[in-house]
Amino acid sequence: PKAVMSYAKSSYSGRYMCINLTNYHTIEFRIFRGTLRYTTFIATLQLVNRVCDVALSMSDEEITAMSWPEFVSMISPAEYPELITYLKERRLYVNEPVAETEEDI
């Protein structure tokens, strides 16, 4: 991971990418729209915090193998209530994967 980060920060990927790595000491997340809603702002900060926690605590292989329902299940409703509400409002809070049926194929 250190070699990947070093390469990403030294190569030109542009300041206007969804993850800005052009500054040596910072990583800038540019994936969110602007908002005037306090709870949405807090929810986006909580999501970035969870993404960073996962990135620091898991291997590249574990992250690659992780599904969205697995990621969401690791979010504590008591610790991140605004994020849980935000995900529920947008129907992104999925705790169980949905199995495909023959009709879906």
Side-chain angles (χ1 to χ4, degrees), residues 46-62:
Q46 291 173 349
L47 179 59
V48 169
N49 190 50
R50 284 304 304 144
V51 167
C52 292
D53 287 346
V54 166
L56 292 171
S57 66
M58 298 177 81
S59 70
D60 293 346
E61 293 79 21
E62 290 172 316

Side-chain angles (χ1 to χ4, degrees), residues 22-33:
T22 58
N23 297 320
Y24 183 76
H25 295 291
T26 64
I27 297 174
E28 179 182 6
F29 288 78
R30 293 178 163 257
I31 57 176
F32 303 106
R33 295 181 352 193

Side-chain angles (χ1 to χ4, degrees), residues 6 14 20-21 26 42 48 55 70 72-74 77 85-86 89 95:
S6 177
N20 177 9
L21 300 171
T26 64
I42 296 301
V48 169
E70 290 172 320
V72 170
S73 71
M74 295 172 15
T85 301
Y86 179 87
E89 288 172 352
N95 289 329

